[in-house]
């Protein structure tokens, strides 16, 4: 069984995930480019490998080409990069690590929220070019926070707001979240279920925590930005293609938004026009990039490979 | 009674604080330079004014020169800029607004904490210069957080950590804080009273929340940085002169610290050598810069002036 680790970095924060493979005498090789692979590049390795430990790179060309791939172990939570239907047809087993990544994304999101509200990265840029402008922002405690998607991450974000007493938290999901709302109310949070339109209209902060699917692709366009009446801070740590980047550019340029914090892009590494703007914090798909979560995710992904080879039951198998 | 508003900005976020003065027919004029005054500049106005609404500018030359100053209404919490002993001798009444400013500083501090741990400003700088380096940081949930000074702000910071479950919170103060520790324990936080040395040695994050006094000036020097064994993130939102800036520069340069987030400086506006470094987030004495707290602080400062003129009791009078 030959394993290809296409995600990068892997085994850098801690060698444990690689040691697990070595201990079981697994033959493996790692991404030779030390960056996210393009869809075409993933294909290069298609017929050499039995098992793939994957990041967020688009795996469609690889899976289409592959004749012997048996398993994909995704390091992380999103599955938009994996052609699940095709995997099912070809009998390729898919696992992922949704729990390991959540706490890191949650904290990162709150970090972006406070950062964007108080313009911390802007202030750092300003002082480094010799300006002392002391921007005045909003306090989370005086904000209505809209959370679209109350799965693991969205729920974690809501829970972590407990120390800040936001004025109100508006939550939306496509499934019933009554139990989750009850839990948040018990924490003392002022939570109200809302439609997406109500969230656009009434929030000072809007944060997306939904997967990329056919239904969510291009969900946020100029139409949605024009409904955001309170010039909110807009945050995306989920997937880039959920937001129309050109429309976001003009929403920021025309100050329909007070600001944005964007961690994910339709093409990564990102090098588009958002880089021209001052009222945005741009990070590098780093939601999962905390030491403990990298170790947990990578270790779980390696362990899933071992369990698969040994014919054991997988902890987080993906079923269509 | 002629009032001089030396602090800047004032009445910008909301005109209410100026309207209060106008409504009571108070003659006032504002800082003509639209920036923090130097000590010498404050002196220019010394013999014209009866009452001063002040920021953090050093008021010693003004108070020394003044022949008719009767009251200082400080917008904010620190009193290191006010020569209190001299005010007492000259019969000048001093008031301040410690409660109004606290929530804004607390949130700003947590924002810097998450920012520094996950290197958000660094990532924003990197992507804007064409790099995609995805720095891996620490999660607050895996950190020991050391808080030096558990007054209004330090206590608020500890309380706001409740949504993040830090591994441990080490707290230090020069006065007895048993009751405060009991309150934090009840919130479910793992809080332990510690000496400053224990905090230096065992913390992943260290945050200062103490006033600038003769005892705290230059409290943190190379000696203290060398005791910080876990290469912590170092945060200062209190006063610049508590930390030796040259020693901080070398602690960051030599990676005794993993990073720092600095909002306050020995000379403001700041233009020193810390600007050369990448492992630091530099903000612009913005702890109080949230809309609601600016309004509350400025309104309280104006109201204190009215109360003083009307001979009423002041809400937050400073007694030596």
């Amino acid at each position: 069984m030959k394993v290809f680790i296409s995600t990068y970095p892997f085994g850098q924060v801690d060698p444990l995930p690689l040691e697990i493979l070595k201990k079981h005498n697994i033959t493996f090789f790692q991404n030779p480019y030390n960056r996210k692979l393009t869809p075409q590049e993933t294909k290069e390795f298609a017929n050499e490998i039995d098992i793939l430990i994957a990041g967020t790179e688009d795996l469609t060309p690889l899976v289409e080409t592959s004749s012997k791939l048996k398993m994909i172990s995704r390091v992380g939570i999103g599955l938009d990069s994996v052609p699940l239907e095709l995997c099912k047809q070809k009998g390729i087993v898919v696992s992922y690590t949704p729990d390991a990544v959540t706490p890191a994304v949650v904290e990162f999101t709150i970090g972006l929220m406070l950062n964007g509200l108080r313009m911390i990265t802007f202030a750092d840029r300003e002082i480094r070019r010799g300006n002392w402008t002391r921007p005045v922002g909003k306090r989370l405690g005086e904000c209505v926070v809209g959370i679209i998607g109350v799965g693991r991450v969205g729920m974690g974000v809501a829970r972590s707001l407990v120390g800040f007493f936001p004025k109100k938290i508006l939550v939306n999901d496509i499934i019933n979240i009554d139990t989750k709302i009850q839990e948040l109310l018990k924490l003392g949070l002022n939570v109200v279920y809302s439609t997406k339109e109500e969230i656009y209209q009434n929030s000072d902060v809007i944060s997306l925590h939904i997967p990329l699917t056919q239904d969510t692709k291009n969900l946020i366009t100029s139409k949605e930005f024009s409904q955001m009446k309170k010039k909110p801070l807009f945050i995306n740590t989920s997937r880039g293609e959920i937001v129309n980047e050109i429309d976001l550019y003009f929403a920021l340029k025309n100050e329909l938004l007070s600001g944005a914090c964007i961690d994910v892009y339709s093409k990564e590494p990102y090098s588009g026009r958002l880089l021209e703007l001052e009222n945005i914090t741009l990070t590098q798909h780093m939601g999962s990039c905390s030491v403990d979560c990298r170790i947990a995710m990578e270790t779980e992904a390696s362990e899933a490979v071992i369990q698969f080879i040994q014919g054991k039951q997988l902890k987080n198998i993906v079923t269509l």
Side-chain angles (χ1 to χ4, degrees), chain A:
Chain A
M1 289 281 190
K2 196 167 181 181
V3 176
F4 175 42
I5 303 167
S6 60
T7 188
Y8 176 84
F10 188 92
Q12 282 202 344
V13 169
D14 191 299
L16 178 65
L18 294 173
E19 281 162 11
I20 290 170
L21 299 175
K22 286 179 195 160
K23 205 181 85 183
H24 289 85
N25 298 314
I26 311 284
T27 310
F28 67 87
F29 67 109
Q30 291 189 258
N31 175 332
Y33 299 106
N34 294 351
R35 56 161 174 75
K36 185 170 175 174
L37 296 182
T38 66
Q40 290 308 308
E41 284 167 349
T42 64
K43 210 172 80 170
E44 290 173 26
F45 307 98
N47 285 313
E48 283 183 64
I49 60 172
D50 302 284
I51 294 175
L52 180 67
I53 296 181
T56 57
E57 57 284 351
D58 180 0
L59 301 178
T60 309
L62 184 152
V63 174
E64 279 170 350
T65 312
S66 146
S67 55
K68 54 186 248 185
L69 188 65
K70 294 166 193 66
M71 185 218 186
I72 296 170
S73 179
R74 257 284 284 131
V75 179
I77 190 166
L79 291 165
D80 47 286
S81 56
V82 186
L84 293 176
E85 186 60 51
L86 192 60
C87 286
K88 193 179 174 186
Q89 286 167 26
K90 291 188 126 180
I92 298 167
V93 171
V94 179
S95 74
Y96 68 146
T97 65
D99 297 308
V101 72
T102 296
V105 183
V106 168
E107 281 199 8
F108 194 75
T109 303
I110 306 276
L112 289 180
M113 220 174 259
L114 293 167
N115 191 312
L117 285 171
R118 301 296 286 278
M119 293 168 269
I120 291 173
T121 48
F122 173 71
D124 179 83
R125 265 181 258 135
E126 279 281 273
I127 196 172
R128 285 172 192 267
R129 55 196 172 210
N131 297 334
W132 184 266
T133 37
R134 299 189 77 201
V136 174
K138 270 188 196 161
R139 210 167 53 80
L140 196 42
E142 52 172 338
C143 285
V144 175
V145 181
I147 299 178
I148 299 179
V150 191
R152 291 173 176 86
V153 177
M155 185 66 181
V157 168
R159 280 196 202 101
S160 289
L161 291 175
V162 71
F164 300 101
F165 305 98
K167 208 186 280 175
K168 203 182 273 190
I169 302 179
L170 310 180
V171 291
N172 177 272
D173 204 304
I174 52 170
I175 61 165
N176 185 304
I177 51 169
D178 288 350
T179 318
K180 290 181 175 180
I181 290 174
Q182 289 308 317
E183 182 196 323
L184 296 172
L185 288 169
K186 272 186 203 145
L187 290 175
L189 291 163
N190 183 12
V191 183
V192 182
Y193 184 87
S194 309
T195 64
K196 286 201 283 293
E197 289 64 33
E198 287 168 338
I199 288 180
Y200 302 148
Q201 284 162 28
N202 300 307
S203 302
D204 301 290
V205 180
I206 295 176
S207 194
L208 302 184
H209 300 289
I210 50 182
L212 174 61
T213 66
Q214 287 193 332
D215 293 331
T216 66
K217 189 170 177 166
N218 227 20
L219 179 75
I220 309 286
T221 66
S222 54
K223 182 180 158 225
E224 285 70 31
F225 287 127
S226 69
Q227 294 175 61
M228 298 180 184
K229 294 298 172 212
K230 291 174 78 182
K231 296 194 179 186
L233 171 71
F234 181 77
I235 297 175
N236 189 9
T237 57
S238 56
R239 283 294 181 266
E241 286 159 288
I242 297 170
V243 180
N244 183 305
E245 274 168 11
I246 302 296
D247 291 358
L248 173 61
Y249 173 85
F250 285 106
L252 286 163
K253 186 103 178 158
N254 300 326
E255 295 179 19
L256 302 182
L257 303 173
S258 66
C261 299
I262 302 295
D263 188 44
V264 288
Y265 308 89
S266 55
K267 185 171 179 300
E268 297 172 359
Y270 179 73
S271 59
R273 291 190 68 184
L274 293 172
L275 296 173
E276 298 166 16
L277 300 172
E278 285 295 333
N279 55 350
I280 185 168
T281 297
L282 298 151
T283 51
Q284 309 168 33
H285 203 145
M286 289 154 51
S288 69
C289 292
S290 85
V291 171
D292 65 340
C293 287
R294 288 296 324 167
I295 296 174
M297 277 163 57
E298 295 176 9
T299 304
E300 274 187 34
S302 283
E303 284 169 349
V305 168
I306 307 300
Q307 285 153 7
F308 176 76
I309 292 175
Q310 295 178 339
K312 292 185 184 156
Q313 201 181 347
L314 298 181
K315 186 178 156 201
N316 284 302
I317 197 163
V318 178
T319 46
L320 252 200

